[in-house]
Amino acid sequence: MARNKYPEETINQILTVALNLFIQKGYEQTSIQDIINELGGLTKGAIYHHFKSKEEIMQGVIDHLFKDVDEMLSGVRDDKELNGLEKLRKISRVSLSNPAQDELAAATPNLLRNPKLLAAQIEHMIEKAIPVYIQPIIEQGMRDGSIRTEYPRELSEVLLVLTNVWLNQAVIPASPETMLRKVRLFDEILKGLGLDLFDDQMLQRYEELFRLSAREISIEK
């Protein structure tokens, strides 16, 4: 592959190749040379021109992964036409309908071999997604009356931790049927907290993602 004369495109190529290798082989098992081999025409010097280390490449991968997510969350958070509960519902629907979720679901089994990638996702969730996006939305819901809670930070953590860890088959593997039962229990828990987030279409989408992930696990075995 010839070197792209546009630095931004070259960086995106490096990040795309690196992410695929991190998913396939694991971060620790992937070397800079592995990345170079997949890029073809790029030299080690060209890669180090943009990234000083594999750790920096990893950070670039994480930033790239969450860029669209952050833009979506900020757009919903700042939407003046919706109340707090409506914003949480919109985030849930948009997240589940995102075609990228199919790719993430297919990659889920590999996250067990990628603790660094999983840890980076959790770190982003705790340090940015919760305090910058979800908690302000819940606090708005408390003000406008659509959400009833005295624990905005804690409820924000419950929402994202249960969604991204408890319902993540890379962390707690289970059959699609078991995972769907967990989603239904999650729905009941949230309703008990005054949050009626899920409709039948969203539950069906969860089931599709769980079955896709289960199929990938079966193929690996």
Side-chain angles (χ1 to χ4, degrees):
M1 179 178 62
R3 180 186 298 184
N4 197 307
K5 65 179 181 179
Y6 300 103
E8 184 176 350
E9 292 185 13
T10 300
I11 291 172
N12 287 337
Q13 289 170 357
I14 294 171
L15 295 179
T16 298
V17 166
L19 173 60
N20 290 336
L21 286 171
F22 292 159
I23 289 175
Q24 294 167 12
K25 300 181 63 174
Y27 172 80
E28 299 296 341
Q29 287 71 40
T30 299
S31 66
I32 292 289
Q33 189 60 51
D34 291 330
I35 297 173
I36 293 170
N37 292 343
E38 292 296 319
L39 286 168
L42 282 182
T43 65
K44 182 176 292 189
I47 290 182
Y48 280 118
H49 175 73
H50 297 290
F51 301 98
K52 296 178 181 178
S53 64
K54 187 174 75 168
E55 180 72 27
E56 195 169 294
I57 293 176
M58 179 63 168
Q59 187 58 53
V61 166
I62 296 301
D63 292 343
H64 184 72
L65 278 175
F66 290 116
K67 179 182 178 182
D68 290 342
V69 174
D70 288 344
E71 290 178 353
M72 181 273 288
L73 289 174
S74 64
V76 175
R77 179 198 59 194
D78 299 335
D79 189 338
K80 299 185 183 303
E81 300 299 320
L82 303 177
N83 65 31
L85 180 57
E86 289 169 340
K87 289 180 178 181
L88 290 181
R89 286 173 174 167
K90 183 173 182 179
I91 287 172
S92 297
R93 291 191 180 98
V94 171
S95 297
L96 287 172
S97 64
N98 185 353
Q101 285 291 343
D102 290 339
E103 181 179 350
L104 291 175
T108 292
N110 294 297
L111 287 179
L112 288 174
R113 299 196 299 271
N114 285 271
K116 195 172 185 67
L117 182 58
L118 183 58
Q121 294 181 18
I122 294 174
E123 182 179 23
H124 176 272
M125 176 180 68
I126 292 173
E127 294 186 357
K128 189 168 186 182
I130 289 172
V132 176
Y133 305 117
I134 304 303
Q135 185 175 340
I137 289 174
I138 289 179
E139 290 172 344
Q140 178 200 333
M142 293 169 64
R143 293 190 299 271
D144 63 37
S146 64
I147 297 174
R148 299 181 302 278
T149 182
E150 296 180 3
Y151 307 98
R153 171 71 188 198
E154 292 77 10
L155 181 55
S156 303
E157 292 177 355
V158 165
L159 280 171
L160 290 197
V161 171
L162 289 184
T163 301
N164 294 288
V165 178
W166 190 57
L167 293 178
N168 187 339
Q169 288 175 293
V171 182
I172 308 175
S175 68
E177 292 74 20
T178 298
M179 295 300 293
L180 191 58
R181 283 175 58 84
K182 291 169 70 171
V183 171
R184 295 189 183 280
L185 174 58
F186 185 34
D187 182 33
E188 290 187 17
I189 291 171
L190 294 181
K191 285 178 179 175
L193 296 173
L195 298 178
D196 188 8
L197 286 182
F198 299 131
D199 56 23
D200 289 340
Q201 184 178 359
M202 292 167 66
L203 292 173
Q204 182 179 358
R205 176 57 175 159
Y206 263 116
E207 184 174 8
E208 291 173 357
L209 292 173
F210 292 148
R211 294 194 182 283
L212 176 60
S213 181
R215 184 163 64 248
E216 292 298 322
I217 293 174
S218 176
I219 290 174
E220 277 204 346
K221 290 180 179 180

